[in-house]
Amino acid sequence: MGNARLEYEGKSYEFPVVEGSEHEKGVDIAALRSKSGLITLDPGYGNSGSCRSAITFIDGDKGILRYRGYPIEEIAQTARFTEVAYLLIYGERPTAQQYAKWKDDLTRHTLLHEDMKKFFEGYPPSAHPMAIMAAMMASLSSFYPGNEDDKNLDVNIVRLLAKSKTIAAFAYKKSIGQPFVYPQNNLSWPANFLRMMFAVPSETYQVDPVLEEALNLLLILHADHEQNCSTSTARMVTSSGANLFAALSAGVCALWGPRHGGANEEVLQMLGEIRANGGNCKSFIDKVKKKEEGVKLMGFGHRVYKNFDPRAKLLKAAADGIFAKLGIHDPLLGLAKELEETALKDSYFVERKLYPNVDFYSGIIYRAMGIPTNMFTVMFVLGRLPGWIAHCRELRLDPENRISRPRQIYTGPKVRKWEGSVG
Ligand code: ACO
């Protein structure tokens, strides 16, 4: 692939250029510091590749997203979430036999240890379900300690995929003061979750196939997105040798923020405020452009996509069908479309290549499904589990796996003398 040359203080250093399978190129600077004494400085890692990965390919300029080579648009048409999870984690689609076993495994591990239920009692009713999610996922490691050799890792993968939805539904039930509904294992992964969320012991509950299909799509579209903030966090924790439960709990915490997965919650709040103020999209956009304190067009912009986010396109297209099938008319959907249209015509957004991201339409669909706003980011967690797991597993098997430990440029005081004590 040739070399890249760095000239510095009269010396020349050569570094190999590496190429990925889709011809994206990078300079391998692993020997930079030992050769030259220099490090790189790249706050926010906008230019730094942290690893080689064979899981997901994104071309942000062209709006391309592929899981293990399969275009997201094709996957979204017919796949089941559990099959996509297998593909992401193990690299290939399962055979019919492997898939039957996988689904069986995923349904046999849905129950939580009864002692875990007591944890939920300790939270105040106002506790954010993301806080419960993060704590419970780390807590799973106390019930399933021990080495994560290959076989055990596979069992822990299944445990995480199966139990997280039970944790999520229990967190919701806790917040509304309803009794926990136990999993029912003849149901699909999404249907089982919906039942645990919405059923009550005093009534029969039939999972609406429209909701099941909508959730299946949402989960698939969130399943992986290469080295985003939460995935990089989960990989970083894995690099220290910590267990999978700990790594995913850290992923949950990283996803929580409004610049990342927390944006879906913020989008709904933003739309609600615009509506409450008379529904004037133009004046809201003007505020965004003026960069008024705390005003951003939530659900817009992306570090990687400088073209449409293909997931947002798919969700926008799906939204009308889902609303029609559910017989719901939500004025916020119309408002979101108007807001998108207004922004996309505006030079501020055009020049900065800001387009709707996956969070722009997902919240409106969750709302139509009856999922409360504070559960939106938890829904993102459930979708993203396979991606986090796939990345943590990939890193463990990677011969280049070292502890992640960036360097810094120190800007604090130079050495000074400590004398006495102030107190
Ligand atoms: N509204 C208004 N202006 C924006 C927005 C936005 N949503 N996003 C970016 N910009 C502006 C920035 O102010 C900046 O303008 P400037 O050049 O005048 O300073 C320019 O566009 C570039 O933006 P950066 O902040 O440098 O982009 P970065 O890649 O660091 O951030 C991010 C990406 C965090 C997603 C940002 O676009 C954002 O905050 N968006 C809103 C939150 C959101 O929707 N997050 C979900 C992302 S998708 C996901 O994680 C699942």
Side-chain angles (χ1 to χ4, degrees), residues 258-260 263 288 291 296-303 348 352 354 357-359 380:
R259 286 172 167 176
H260 193 10
V288 172
K291 300 197 175 183
K296 245 188 179 179
L297 182 49
M298 298 311 286
F300 254 68
H302 199 277
R303 172 61 59 80
Y348 174 97
R352 289 171 178 77
L354 300 170
N357 58 51
V358 70
D359 287 327
F380 197 150

Side-chain angles (χ1 to χ4, degrees), residues 265-280:
E265 212 176 308
E266 303 273 330
V267 169
L268 255 278
Q269 267 151 24
M270 171 187 77
L271 292 173
E273 277 163 32
I274 297 173
R275 186 149 185 262
N277 293 329
N280 190 335

Side-chain angles (χ1 to χ4, degrees), residues 144-276:
Y144 307 104
N147 280 342
E148 277 180 337
D149 57 22
D150 285 356
K151 191 162 162 276
N152 250 332
L153 182 67
D154 284 340
V155 180
N156 283 352
I157 288 172
V158 166
R159 284 177 176 138
L160 272 159
L161 284 170
K163 293 180 198 302
S164 298
K165 66 177 179 308
T166 313
I167 293 173
F170 281 19
Y172 172 62
K173 288 295 194 193
K174 157 77 192 175
S175 74
I176 56 168
Q178 283 186 2
F180 299 138
V181 175
Y182 282 62
Q184 189 175 300
N185 289 346
N186 61 336
L187 297 174
S188 73
W189 198 105
N192 208 348
F193 170 72
L194 289 168
R195 188 178 159 279
M196 287 191 281
M197 281 284 288
F198 298 123
V200 285
S202 46
E203 283 173 25
T204 49
Y205 178 83
Q206 280 294 330
V207 179
D208 182 338
V210 177
L211 295 189
E212 186 180 348
E213 278 312 300
L215 182 55
N216 183 61
L217 175 69
L218 282 154
L219 293 167
I220 288 173
L221 295 183
H222 287 86
D224 191 43
H225 216 230
E226 51 116 308
Q227 311 308 320
N228 56 83
C229 176
S230 55
T231 302
S232 299
T233 301
R235 286 187 79 120
M236 194 158 203
V237 174
T238 299
S239 82
S240 76
N243 63 62
L244 195 59
F245 303 107
L248 263 64
S249 169
V252 172
C253 292
L255 189 76
W256 195 352
R259 286 172 167 176
H260 193 10
N264 54 16
E265 212 176 308
E266 303 273 330
V267 169
L268 255 278
Q269 267 151 24
M270 171 187 77
L271 292 173
E273 277 163 32
I274 297 173
R275 186 149 185 262

